[in-house]
């Protein structure tokens, strides 16, 4: 069984590669897959664990529920996509 620490560490590594650009992300994922064929599942689980932790922290910081924040993100993304389609 994977500990929460390991799950979060996987998520942090994955998101670090993600924000560093497509080339690094591609290389990171390929390396992880060579080490472990099930790496994709571990990376997705780690990213989900990291997102959940950040969502809980953000909800506490702004005094809203996690559900409210997710709804705000969904509405904001939808509005942004609509504006992008109009351009």
């Amino acid at each position: 069984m994977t500990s929460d620490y390991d799950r979060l560490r996987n998520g942090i590594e994955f998101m670090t590669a993600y924000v560093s650009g497509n080339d690094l992300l591609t290389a990171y994922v390929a390396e992880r897959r060579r080490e472990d064929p099930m790496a994709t599942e571990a990376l997705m689980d780690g990213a989900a664990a990291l997102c959940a932790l950040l969502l809980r922290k953000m909800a506490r910081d702004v005094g809203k529920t996690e559900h409210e924040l997710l709804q705000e993100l969904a509405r904001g993304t939808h509005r942004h996509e609509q504006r992008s389609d109009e351009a």
Side-chain angles (χ1 to χ4, degrees):
M1 185 165 128
T2 305
S3 71
D4 285 343
Y5 173 80
D6 289 336
R7 293 176 67 212
L8 289 171
R9 184 179 49 79
N10 280 337
I12 290 168
E13 285 180 4
F14 180 71
M15 292 308 296
T16 299
Y18 175 82
V19 299
S20 297
N22 284 338
D23 292 340
L24 185 58
L25 178 62
T26 301
Y28 174 74
V29 171
E31 179 183 332
R32 291 291 306 267
R33 282 185 180 150
R34 277 191 300 278
E35 295 169 359
D36 176 9
M38 300 298 289
T40 302
E41 288 81 6
L43 294 174
M44 289 175 54
D45 178 64
L50 178 60
C51 287
L53 177 69
L54 293 172
L55 181 61
R56 283 192 297 271
K57 181 188 180 330
M58 190 173 174
R60 276 193 318 268
D61 289 351
V62 299
K64 295 184 179 184
T65 67
E66 295 162 9
H67 183 75
E68 288 171 322
L69 289 175
L70 290 170
Q71 289 298 311
E72 287 178 13
L73 286 169
R75 283 191 298 269
T77 301
H78 180 70
R79 282 193 301 270
H80 176 74
E81 286 179 356
Q82 284 181 326
R83 283 190 296 248
S84 295
D85 289 343
E86 293 171 1

